[in-house]
Amino acid sequence: MNDVRLPVIADAQFARLFGTAPMVVSSAHGRVNLIGEHTDYNGGFVLPTLIPQATVAAVAPSSGRRVRVWSRELSADASLRAFHLGDEEAGQGWLDYVQGVTVALRAAGFEVGGFDLAVASDVPLGSGLSSSAALEVSVLRALRRLFDLDFDDVMLAKIGRAVETDFVGAPIGIMDQMVSSLASVGEALFIDTRTLATAPVALPAGTELVVINSGVAHHHAHGDYRTRRAECERAASMLGVVELRDVGVADLGRAQALPSPLDRRVRHVVTENQRVLDAVAAMRANDADALGALFSASHASQRDDYECSVAAIDQLVAIAQADPAILGARLTGGGFGGSIVALVRTGESPAAAARVAEGYTRASGHAPTVLVP
Ligand code: GLA
């Protein structure tokens, strides 16, 4: 990932939109989760890493309390969206992610003045690669510098998550904002989402990643993600624990007495937490085969126990798993569509990704996009 090229917002373009030059330009990457899915809102473990794709936020202060926003991807031509600080109102599409930032900052005790903001992103939307976290983190970084706000990167992640949980209304965990705010490109970040302790972990020697967007978009602000989260909370209360994090593999017997589908939901979360710990151990021991097997076991658990996959993703994962250069593959992110991540022998990722994408196109009729390499 030496060839990371950030999207560019030219000063001249910013000036055309807002009549002034940007004062601060910040960026934040999207992420791919290696393993540890649907564990973060259960107080568990996750192991995401940054992808080269990123969002760039350019800002300049403006007088008064007006905020004007332009998105290279989502605004038509030079048309600006606007709102006033204190008058934020949800229900305005992508603008909610910016309104949510000013609301969440205020709720956390940080005051900002009016500003003009231009964003550009090459993190694909709805692909399970955290385009929303990249937007929140890039804008928060820009505003932190512009208004000299005093908070650290963990606090930044918490504010970013509040944008979604408290304003947008998506009941997510904290993985995406944590990795986008704290990780460095090229390392995976082990996160204990209960304590927010983090540790960088490198891929086993001789391996690299492939990330492919299935072309089937996910929507987790509503529907299935919310249902799964509620199922976990119900299971935790029936088991008498604060969060499913508190159930270990040794306690699974008791969890299996829960009514269906809670028994399977718990089995996914509990075994997935253990797989994250096993994955960290495999990476530290340079055991590529063990890590690949954990990827594939995680996919089976998502498919069969957590039921957060869809047929097209299962097909894409199966094609990847059958590829001779691939050691393991799984659905990544919130699920119900989105992207897959695969572990590949070094040097083989471009060819393997092309083979898998082609096989999947032929078999499914969907249009995949190779995002890594
Ligand atoms: C989405 C959420 C995360 C996490 C994953 C599933 O990406 O934003 O908090 O719950 O789904 O692991």
Side-chain angles (χ1 to χ4, degrees), residues 16-368:
R16 265 197 304 280
L17 292 163
F18 300 115
T20 176
M23 206 134 119
V24 175
V25 179
S26 297
S27 64
H29 288 267
R31 65 98 187 92
V32 62
N33 190 19
L34 299 187
I35 197 160
E37 221 66 80
H38 295 277
T39 48
D40 63 352
Y41 52 81
N42 289 300
F45 308 118
V46 294
L47 189 60
T49 189
L50 298 178
I51 54 173
Q53 289 80 1
T55 299
V56 170
V59 287
S62 69
S63 56
R65 298 181 60 76
R66 187 184 60 188
V67 176
R68 293 187 296 177
V69 190
W70 177 81
S71 153
R72 186 184 72 178
E73 278 64 41
L74 300 168
S75 299
D77 307 323
S79 73
L80 302 176
R81 306 284 303 270
F83 64 94
H84 278 86
L85 297 169
D87 293 337
E88 295 90 345
E89 220 176 292
Q92 304 192 53
W94 64 268
L95 190 66
D96 285 4
Y97 290 88
V98 182
Q99 296 190 90
V101 165
T102 56
V103 168
L105 276 172
R106 201 176 315 125
F110 299 102
E111 280 300 326
V112 298
F115 58 91
D116 291 326
L117 163 69
V119 291
S121 181
D122 56 15
V123 185
L125 301 176
S127 60
L129 300 173
S130 289
S131 57
S132 55
L135 175 60
E136 292 143 14
V137 173
S138 63
V139 172
L140 281 164
R141 282 178 172 161
L143 296 180
R144 178 167 65 182
R145 264 172 56 206
L146 186 66
F147 294 107
D148 231 338
L149 305 175
D150 184 21
F151 51 80
D152 65 11
D153 292 342
V154 172
M155 185 64 185
L156 189 148
K158 290 181 179 170
I159 297 170
R161 178 172 75 148
V163 171
E164 301 204 36
T165 53
D166 300 359
F167 191 78
V168 173
I172 56 160
I174 201 162
M175 163 170 72
D176 306 342
Q177 289 76 14
M178 280 291 286
V179 64
S180 191
S181 179
L182 283 117
S184 306
V185 171
E187 69 185 22
L189 195 66
F190 170 74
I191 307 169
D192 178 337
T193 64
R194 174 171 279 175
T195 63
L196 297 187
T198 59
V201 195
L203 281 180
T207 63
E208 56 196 26
L209 299 174
V210 161
V211 179
I212 302 175
N213 181 359
S214 67
V216 178
H218 76 113
H219 303 280
H220 57 66
H222 20 82
D224 300 310
Y225 186 96
R226 192 181 291 282
T227 307
R228 290 296 175 281
R229 186 169 179 152
E231 287 167 347
C232 289
E233 280 162 11
R234 196 145 45 91
S237 100
M238 288 172 83
L239 290 168
V241 294
V242 180
E243 292 174 302
L244 291 182
R245 153 74 178 268
D246 299 310
V247 181
V249 174
D251 310 320
L252 260 185
R254 202 161 66 87
Q256 293 318 288
L258 289 172
S260 172
L262 301 188
D263 52 348
R264 284 176 290 127
R265 305 296 188 252
V266 173
R267 188 165 60 202
H268 167 73
V269 172
V270 170
T271 57
E272 185 77 352
N273 270 328
Q274 186 59 47
R275 279 187 290 272
V276 176
L277 300 177
D278 294 347
V280 170
M283 287 162 84
R284 292 193 172 134
N286 262 321
D287 190 340
D289 290 328
L291 183 63
L294 288 162
F295 274 33
S296 294
S298 170
H299 184 76
S301 180
Q302 295 188 91
R303 182 192 59 211
D304 303 335
D305 281 349
Y306 215 67
E307 295 176 282
C308 59
S309 188
V310 293
I313 292 275
D314 290 340
Q315 206 171 13
L316 180 53
V317 165
I319 291 168
Q321 287 172 347
D323 190 277
I326 291 181
L327 302 166
R330 58 181 291 277
L331 162 64
T332 185
F336 308 103
S339 302
I340 71 155
V341 59
L343 188 71
V344 189
R345 291 182 214 291
T346 297
E348 304 207 41
S349 64
R355 280 193 300 270
V356 172
E358 197 194 303
Y360 169 73
T361 305
R362 224 181 309 115
S364 73
H366 291 296

